[in-house]
Amino acid sequence: CRMLCRPVMNDSVQIASSTGVSKKRTLEPPARVGDAANFRIIRRLFSDYIRTQWATFAAALGFMIVTSAASGTIPLIVNQTVKTLFIDKQANMLAVIPILVVALMTVRAVSWYAQQTLIDTVGERVVSSVQRAMFDRLIRRDLASLNAFPSSQFVSTILFDAPLLRG
């Protein structure tokens, strides 16, 4: 069980240094969603990166509204189907209602696919822009600051941390 069992999680972490002296550090709680710093970061992301994608983002929002409207219409159609076919016994609607349901589901599926594709496109473009900006700043750093950190840290940040923006 020594290899598979994790130690109990708590608020403090023992950190061993190369000198053999261990320090005890208390972990800070994660930032809450409503913090002002998070709001500033999100506002900066919107102003620097998503603002240039406003048309694609607006189209995705439009498709989201269509998807929501189509999803909200499904219970109305089911209610109308029950009233028309079973209560009013209108047999002539038996051909119309399935066509209406198929058309509604097609609109819903196409709008869902379009909004998902557009949001993914915006996300990929934002990540690409962030990676490009990080690389541009890295290239312009002086040699002393570049030598202060291992190159793998820079590569890891550009390749693996920037895509975390997608969520």
Side-chain angles (χ1 to χ4, degrees), residues 113-134:
Y113 177 77
Q115 63 100 13
Q116 194 66 37
T117 303
L118 291 173
I119 286 294
D120 288 345
T121 300
V122 169
E124 291 295 330
R125 288 179 181 169
V126 166
V127 168
S128 172
S129 297
V130 168
Q131 286 176 327
R132 196 173 302 111
M134 290 169 69

Side-chain angles (χ1 to χ4, degrees), residues 74-86 88 93 97 100:
I74 293 171
L76 297 174
I77 287 182
V78 169
N79 185 25
Q80 197 62 29
T81 302
V82 169
K83 285 181 182 176
T84 305
L85 294 179
F86 298 115
D88 298 340
M93 295 299 286
I97 291 175
L100 186 63

Side-chain angles (χ1 to χ4, degrees), residues 6-113:
R6 290 184 175 177
V8 178
M9 299 290 289
N10 57 19
D11 291 354
S12 60
V13 177
Q14 287 290 110
I15 301 173
S17 66
S18 60
T19 60
V21 177
S22 65
K23 302 176 197 173
K24 190 170 187 175
R25 188 172 75 183
T26 303
L27 297 176
E28 296 178 15
R32 293 183 310 232
V33 176
D35 287 348
N38 288 343
F39 181 72
R40 284 194 304 267
I41 292 170
I42 291 170
R43 190 176 68 207
R44 182 174 164 221
L45 280 173
F46 266 93
S47 67
D48 291 351
Y49 301 109
I50 297 177
R51 186 173 40 107
T52 60
Q53 305 293 325
W54 70 268
T56 308
F57 196 69
L61 287 176
F63 282 116
M64 285 179 194
I65 292 170
V66 171
T67 302
S68 297
S71 296
T73 308
I74 293 171
L76 297 174
I77 287 182
V78 169
N79 185 25
Q80 197 62 29
T81 302
V82 169
K83 285 181 182 176
T84 305
L85 294 179
F86 298 115
I87 296 173
D88 298 340
K89 307 230 188 257
Q90 295 179 4
N92 59 346
M93 295 299 286
L94 194 57
V96 175
I97 291 175
I99 293 171
L100 186 63
V101 169
V102 167
L104 179 67
M105 292 306 227
T106 302
V107 166
R108 182 175 168 229
V110 168
S111 66
W112 181 85
Y113 177 77

Side-chain angles (χ1 to χ4, degrees), residues 44 49 126-141 146 153-165:
R44 182 174 164 221
Y49 301 109
V126 166
V127 168
S128 172
S129 297
V130 168
Q131 286 176 327
R132 196 173 302 111
M134 290 169 69
F135 183 74
D136 288 345
R137 292 190 102 184
L138 181 67
I139 291 298
R140 287 173 178 72
R141 288 178 74 168
L146 286 175
Q153 184 175 355
F154 297 126
V155 172
S156 173
T157 301
I158 291 174
L159 292 179
F160 300 116
D161 292 350
L164 292 176
L165 290 172

